[in-house]
Amino acid sequence: MSIIFVSVPVADVALSTTFYERLGFVKNDDFSNETVSSMVWDENLTVMVQSHDHLKNFIGAKTIVDPKTSVTNVIAVGLDSKDEVIEVGRRALENGGNSFRTDENMPVEFMYSVIIEDIDGNPLKLVWMAV
């Protein structure tokens, strides 16, 4: 089994931890402290919410970009239903983040997706596909 750990830079670890909890993530206290929160979505995906100073330990001489103005990648996560995609997107909006529908050039009965952004602008794509 593969586990994906996505690291995201945030201005306020505590505030961002609350945001991700309200989306349905669960904080893993064993791998969290005041500079990082390990936020578990399921057994395959964990988002590591990290202060800029903490994340700098893992990126060498590179610069952390502002996720509100720049994007380096977008991680897509498959969900079980279109309704679940819509619900998580709604919770992102209600808790200070952003959510917008993406156009996949596919009929919504086959595929539905949104991009959510946390309060710092870090994107996560939520996708449901009829398989």
Side-chain angles (χ1 to χ4, degrees):
M1 172 174 67
S2 296
I3 300 173
I4 298 172
F5 293 88
V6 178
S7 296
V8 296
V10 300
D12 185 321
V13 172
L15 187 62
S16 294
T17 298
T18 299
F19 174 83
Y20 280 94
E21 287 174 330
R22 289 180 177 163
L23 293 184
F25 287 74
V26 176
K27 182 179 175 185
N28 180 341
D29 288 322
D30 292 337
F31 298 100
S32 302
N33 59 40
E34 65 280 348
T35 64
V36 61
S37 285
S38 175
M39 304 304 298
V40 178
W41 178 258
D42 63 20
E43 65 275 1
N44 297 311
L45 175 66
T46 297
V47 173
M48 301 301 290
V49 174
Q50 299 185 43
S51 70
H52 288 227
D53 286 340
H54 189 272
L55 185 58
K56 286 178 184 177
N57 293 317
F58 305 101
I59 63 170
K62 292 185 178 183
T63 301
I64 297 173
V65 299
D66 180 353
K68 290 187 180 190
T69 61
S70 302
V71 174
T72 59
N73 63 61
V74 177
I75 305 295
V77 177
L79 300 181
D80 293 331
S81 71
K82 176 183 169 186
D83 290 340
E84 187 178 6
V85 170
I86 292 168
E87 173 61 19
V88 176
R90 182 189 63 74
R91 284 184 279 175
L93 283 171
E94 286 179 351
N95 290 286
N98 192 17
S99 175
F100 55 91
R101 174 102 163 78
T102 62
D103 182 5
E104 305 291 343
N105 293 320
M106 294 286 292
V108 296
E109 61 269 15
F110 297 113
M111 184 176 190
Y112 189 87
S113 62
V114 300
I115 299 285
I116 61 169
E117 295 175 333
D118 68 13
I119 54 181
D120 288 274
N122 295 296
L124 185 63
K125 182 176 182 178
L126 308 175
V127 181
W128 165 80
M129 296 186 302
V131 184

